[in-house]
Amino acid sequence: MKIKSLVTMSILSAAISLAPLTFAEDANDAHDGGKGWHKHHGERFANLSPEEREKLKAAHQKAMQDPALQAAHVKMRQARKEFRDAMHAALLKADPSIQPVIDKMKAGEKDEHDED
């Protein structure tokens, strides 16, 4: 069971890490105001009533108090960071001239985390 959970979390982490690359849009696009995946994240909840959103938010907050879920969340974030670092290293190995692009992406990631 632990291996199944590990594999599932690894796949989920990889999917989350690759999603911005797969669904990338121009940050200057007028239709999303430069919010990227945050816009799409909100669309998932667009069909919920305000009461349903509040109920889901309360359940999420309660669920996040579970120590096992907190530990899994920490593991997921660490796995995502390790994957991202490995991907950057592989990209640089494939084409060292993209270092400025990677630096620009890292600066954007910091900006997004500062907003949270």
Side-chain angles (χ1 to χ4, degrees), residues 2 21 23 25 55 83 94 96:
K2 287 184 180 185
L21 297 174
F23 300 107
E25 294 182 12
K55 191 174 183 178
F83 176 81

Side-chain angles (χ1 to χ4, degrees), residues 4-75:
K4 185 177 180 182
S5 296
L6 181 62
V7 169
T8 302
M9 290 302 291
S10 297
I11 291 170
L12 179 62
S13 295
I16 290 171
S17 296
L18 292 176
L21 297 174
T22 306
F23 300 107
E25 294 182 12
D26 189 332
N28 296 322
D29 245 351
H31 72 274
D32 74 358
K35 294 186 187 205
W37 74 270
H38 291 287
K39 174 185 176 267
H40 298 295
H41 181 74
E43 289 175 355
R44 293 176 31 199
F45 305 104
N47 64 340
L48 300 179
S49 70
E51 296 81 18
E52 290 171 324
R53 286 186 200 133
E54 285 302 314
K55 191 174 183 178
L56 186 61
K57 182 179 176 181
H60 181 268
Q61 288 174 339
K62 186 174 180 180
M64 287 304 294
Q65 294 174 2
D66 180 353
L69 187 59
Q70 289 175 357
H73 187 247
V74 169
K75 286 180 185 179

Side-chain angles (χ1 to χ4, degrees), residues 85-100 102:
D85 292 347
M87 176 61 81
H88 290 172
L91 289 169
L92 286 173
K93 185 177 178 181
D95 183 356
S97 70
I98 65 165
Q99 181 67 55
I102 291 174

